Amino acid sequence: SEARPGEQCLRSESMIKASLPSAVDSESGFSLLETIAALAILSMALVPLLALQFQLASGATRLERQSELSRATSVARVMLSTTNPAVEPQGRRELGGGWQVTWMSEPLGSPLPARYGLGISSRYRSQVFRVDAELADQDNRKISISLQLLGWVETAPYGSE
């Protein structure tokens, strides 16, 4: 008897299945040795990544500290530039953020009469000062800066000219 086309497909399929090894016959999953090798390879890849992460975090900490020191130095320079060293030759002020500045100044050269334009004398005497300052924070970090500032004193009261 002649096989119908659908029966012929079913027979061919059952012959193919019979020739293939079954899933039960072959080993499935990973062996312990394969798992250990995979973990070793993974750990070799993770160690450099963790070292890089540590280095980046350390760099960010250093950058933040340097930025804070720079900010404190800038604030101290601005504060000192508004100080008249002839009137206040030394002192201490709080800068905020836990920082304080102390300074001492000494005159450079002799005081000179200040002049308006066209050589007209004013009632002030001016002098250049070297101002040495030290910034310190609550963690006892210190920064030293030095500036040259102009100091002035009134030699005659206003209206006596």
Side-chain angles (χ1 to χ4, degrees):
S1 96
E2 204 173 294
R4 288 188 246 151
E7 287 177 354
Q8 189 175 3
C9 284
L10 287 175
R11 272 191 241 150
S12 299
E13 193 175 310
S14 60
M15 286 176 35
I16 291 173
K17 283 183 183 177
S19 66
L20 292 176
S22 71
V24 176
D25 293 341
S26 67
E27 294 181 26
S28 63
F30 296 105
S31 71
L32 179 62
L33 184 59
E34 290 170 328
T35 304
I36 291 172
L39 287 174
I41 291 169
L42 181 63
S43 67
M44 286 189 301
L46 286 179
V47 167
L49 288 175
L50 290 174
L52 176 64
Q53 182 179 8
F54 177 76
Q55 187 176 10
L56 290 173
S58 176
T61 302
R62 280 192 312 271
L63 180 64
E64 174 140 355
R65 181 172 186 260
Q66 189 61 38
S67 177
E68 182 183 350
L69 294 175
S70 179
R71 238 185 342 265
T73 302
S74 295
V75 169
R77 286 181 184 275
V78 168
M79 189 279 307
L80 288 170
S81 70
T82 64
T83 302
N84 182 351
V87 175
E88 198 174 5
Q90 61 187 12
R92 167 182 247 139
R93 291 212 184 120
E94 295 293 322
L95 298 176
W99 288 91
Q100 63 181 355
V101 62
T102 56
W103 73 91
M104 294 192 69
S105 59
E106 67 179 68
L108 300 175
S110 301
L112 300 170
R115 300 203 180 272
Y116 294 119
L118 303 172
I120 301 171
S121 293
S122 76
R123 64 179 196 267
Y124 294 98
R125 219 173 11 135
S126 61
Q127 188 173 11
V128 176
F129 288 81
R130 189 181 83 223
V131 179
D132 294 316
E134 183 175 85
L135 286 79
D137 73 350
Q138 52 210 3
D139 297 329
N140 209 23
R141 292 183 291 179
K142 295 183 178 181
I143 307 169
S144 295
I145 59 173
S146 186
L147 304 165
Q148 285 189 2
L149 297 174
L150 185 64
W152 64 94
V153 290
E154 192 171 24
T155 57
Y158 185 75
S160 64
E161 301 169 355

